[in-house]
Amino acid sequence: MHKYLDGDILPEEETELKSHLQSCEGCKKRLREMEKSIALVQSTSHLAAPANFTANVLANLPKEKRAVSINRWLKAHPFIVAAALFIILMGGSLFSSWKNDHDFSVSNQPNLVVKNNTVTVPEGKVVNGDVTVKNGKLIIKGKIDGDVTIINGEKYTASAGQVTGQIHEINEAFDWIWYQIKSAGKAVFGADDSKDKEQS
């Protein structure tokens, strides 16, 4: 029957099928049902969905809640979320310590004269190493063989003095935060460098 309906049946097979159908009501009924099914499928093959069918279906779907959408994005990008959270917490912590840090301090170097909140490098004296003054004033009459960093203090004054390294004046919160990050990096990586030099 399938070969007959597909048009692939041989002439002798078709003769045998027709002879059988005259004597078998069950097969005759089955063949008629199969022919009706084929006719139904062929009659609907020319139908097509409207051009904007897909867009209309998608437009009529219920909108996803904003919270669900945000949660899905957060779960899909955990590294970005962790990095952003770290930056927010570190920035808040550093900014808070900037606002609350008003104590005077100076790096411990020989040949520095400290009086009240003023640090002086006397004339003819050389300070070997970096000098950091926080919440104070620096007067350079001699020489500093290193970097100078003044945090939240008065602009340094140099009277015929010299600084061989870089001079950093930090008076803004974001400058101070960046300084803290760089200092932490130097502490970590500088320690590693010194260990490597000692081992070699």
Side-chain angles (χ1 to χ4, degrees):
M1 280 192 275
H2 288 285
K3 283 184 177 182
Y4 172 72
L5 294 169
D6 292 339
D8 295 334
I9 195 166
L10 297 172
E12 59 268 18
E13 291 175 329
E14 186 176 356
T15 305
E16 186 182 341
L17 176 64
K18 286 181 179 178
S19 171
H20 176 74
L21 291 173
Q22 288 176 353
S23 61
C24 180
E25 275 303 314
C27 288
K28 193 186 279 186
K29 184 179 177 184
R30 180 169 170 80
L31 181 63
R32 272 192 300 244
E33 288 172 354
M34 290 172 73
E35 287 173 331
K36 285 180 183 176
S37 298
I38 290 170
L40 179 65
V41 170
Q42 288 175 342
S43 70
T44 59
S45 63
H46 68 281
L47 295 176
N52 57 353
F53 177 76
T54 304
N56 287 340
V57 169
L58 291 174
N60 289 324
L61 289 174
K63 299 290 182 197
E64 185 177 54
K65 291 183 180 173
R66 185 172 177 81
V68 174
S69 175
I70 291 170
N71 285 339
R72 181 177 291 127
W73 189 90
L74 293 176
K75 287 178 184 176
H77 303 91
F79 179 74
I80 294 172
V81 173
L85 189 61
F86 174 78
I87 289 169
I88 290 168
L89 292 176
M90 284 298 294
S93 172
L94 290 172
F95 188 75
S96 173
S97 62
W98 160 262
K99 287 186 77 174
N100 296 327
D101 189 7
H102 298 292
D103 295 335
F104 168 77
S105 68
V106 62
S107 53
N108 188 14
Q109 295 284 11
N111 295 333
L112 289 177
V113 176
V114 180
K115 187 174 182 182
N116 297 326
N117 288 355
T118 302
V119 179
T120 306
V121 179
E123 192 172 343
K125 297 290 182 180
V126 177
V127 175
N128 292 309
D130 298 341
V131 175
T132 302
V133 177
K134 186 164 60 171
N135 297 316
K137 181 178 180 181
L138 175 62
I139 300 171
I140 304 170
K141 294 181 180 177
K143 180 179 177 182
I144 296 178
D145 192 10
D147 294 343
V148 170
T149 305
I150 300 171
I151 302 169
N152 201 24
E154 295 181 35
K155 188 174 178 75
Y156 85 98
T157 57
S159 303
Q162 287 186 321
V163 177
T164 60
Q166 295 182 342
I167 299 169
H168 306 282
E169 292 185 46
I170 300 167
N171 289 315
E172 297 293 333
F174 292 109
D175 289 341
W176 186 80
I177 290 169
W178 179 240
Y179 168 76
Q180 290 290 91
I181 292 168
K182 286 196 308 188
S183 297
K186 279 184 184 176
V188 170
F189 296 114
D192 291 344
D193 290 344
S194 62
K195 285 179 186 174
D196 292 341
K197 287 175 185 173
E198 286 173 10
Q199 289 174 354
S200 59

